[in-house]
Amino acid sequence: MHKSKIALLLLTGLIAACAGAETPLEANIKKAVEPRLGNGVKVDSVKETPYGGLYEVRAGGDILYTDKKGEYLFIGHVYNAKTAQDLTKLRIDEINKIKFTDLPFEMAMKTVKGDGKRVMAIFEDPNCGYCKRFRQTTLKEVDNVTVYTFMYNILSDDSFVKSKNIWCAPDRNKAWDDWMISGKAAPVAPANCPTPNDKVLALGQKLRIEGTPAIFFADGSRVPGAIDIKTLEAKFSTIK
């Protein structure tokens, strides 16, 4: 799983504008910092933090820090020294939250296990080894869950082909599991079979999903990567 980092952001310029009201000082910081990020990267917001006189600079789903003059950039995480709490991660989790019910579930495959009361959505690429491992282990073990699977094709052109074949199969869920778990490819889809591939790709880019699997929960939070069953159950326990 490739984790999002500010260094990658600086290279790709993948951002989403979500700026709020700024004080004159914050506007000046933005003006000073933005040209230094390079590659046309835009600063979405600047806000004063309660720690160390730092100012938080938000660019897309990532955060870096600067001083009140915008002369220095600090890339990394800020921790509370007394509690060891990762303050930067808390903010990143907050700004990356989504409204789960707004996801276009008609573009996803739906699987229900047990009572299906717990809900999650997963963005996966059919050529993603971590996604296959997640299917073969964690999802095999978990129960009482509804899983929405969005085929998010970012690894190769072949991913689009595989996803189309699976989407157009008589039983999509079976075709997906056959491929991800057993390595059995779906039959070739008719050329005129419509798929949501392009729309899911656009959605994933809008949500700043840069790697697979990417897991979203009913509270809007996300977890990147192929987590194990213990971590997944611990996450479900925090959701009311």
Side-chain angles (χ1 to χ4, degrees):
M1 170 67 191
H2 178 72
K3 295 182 179 179
S4 173
K5 296 180 180 179
I6 188 66
L8 177 62
L9 181 67
L10 298 180
L11 289 173
T12 63
L14 180 61
I15 58 94
C18 186
E22 293 177 330
T23 67
L25 177 58
E26 291 167 348
N28 287 337
I29 292 174
K30 178 178 179 179
K31 185 177 180 180
V33 168
E34 196 168 73
R36 299 173 184 174
L37 298 182
N39 263 354
V41 174
K42 299 294 184 182
V43 171
D44 297 329
S45 66
V46 175
K47 62 177 291 186
E48 186 176 6
T49 74
Y51 32 85
L54 294 176
Y55 284 78
E56 173 193 293
V57 178
R58 174 182 169 188
D62 289 283
I63 289 173
L64 63 159
Y65 302 96
T66 188
D67 59 288
K68 66 179 181 180
K69 294 183 179 180
E71 294 181 339
Y72 302 96
L73 293 177
F74 305 90
I75 301 174
H77 284 223
V78 174
Y79 289 81
N80 183 316
K82 292 183 178 179
T83 64
Q85 188 175 41
D86 187 338
L87 301 175
T88 302
K89 184 180 184 301
L90 287 176
R91 278 291 293 145
I92 291 175
D93 289 347
E94 178 184 346
I95 65 177
N96 281 323
K97 271 195 172 185
I98 66 167
K99 186 175 181 181
F100 189 85
T101 54
D102 282 350
L103 288 173
F105 297 114
E106 71 278 4
M107 297 194 299
M109 296 175 290
K110 179 182 179 181
T111 302
V112 179
K113 297 182 68 177
D115 61 27
K117 289 183 178 180
R118 304 183 298 181
V119 184
M120 60 194 294
I122 313 172
F123 285 71
E124 299 179 79
D125 187 296
N127 286 315
C128 167
Y130 292 106
C131 302
K132 293 178 181 179
R133 186 177 71 187
F134 184 66
R135 289 267 158 187
Q136 295 164 1
T137 56
T138 305
L139 283 189
K140 184 179 179 180
E141 298 174 36
V142 72
D143 200 6
N144 297 326
V145 64
T146 297
V147 180
Y148 293 95
T149 302
F150 291 86
M151 291 184 285
Y152 183 50
N153 307 300
I154 58 174
L155 294 181
S156 70
D157 291 339
D158 177 63
S159 297
F160 282 88
V161 176
K162 286 186 171 74
S163 289
K164 179 173 182 175
N165 293 341
I166 291 168
W167 184 261
C168 297
D171 186 334
R172 293 167 184 164
N173 288 309
K174 183 178 184 302
W176 180 252
D177 282 344
D178 282 349
W179 170 246
M180 299 297 281
I181 297 174
S182 305
K184 180 182 176 182
V188 176
N192 62 350
C193 177
T195 75
N197 282 349
D198 291 336
K199 291 181 179 179
V200 173
L201 180 63
L203 172 65
Q205 291 171 340
K206 180 180 178 182
L207 296 177
R208 299 186 294 271
I209 300 173
E210 297 176 1
T212 54
I215 309 167
F216 292 85
F217 295 90
D219 63 352
S221 63
R222 72 174 77 188
V223 173
I227 58 178
D228 59 26
I229 185 64
K230 182 178 179 180
T231 304
L232 180 59
E233 289 291 354
K235 176 61 182 178
F236 274 132
S237 71
T238 68
I239 301 172
K240 305 300 182 183

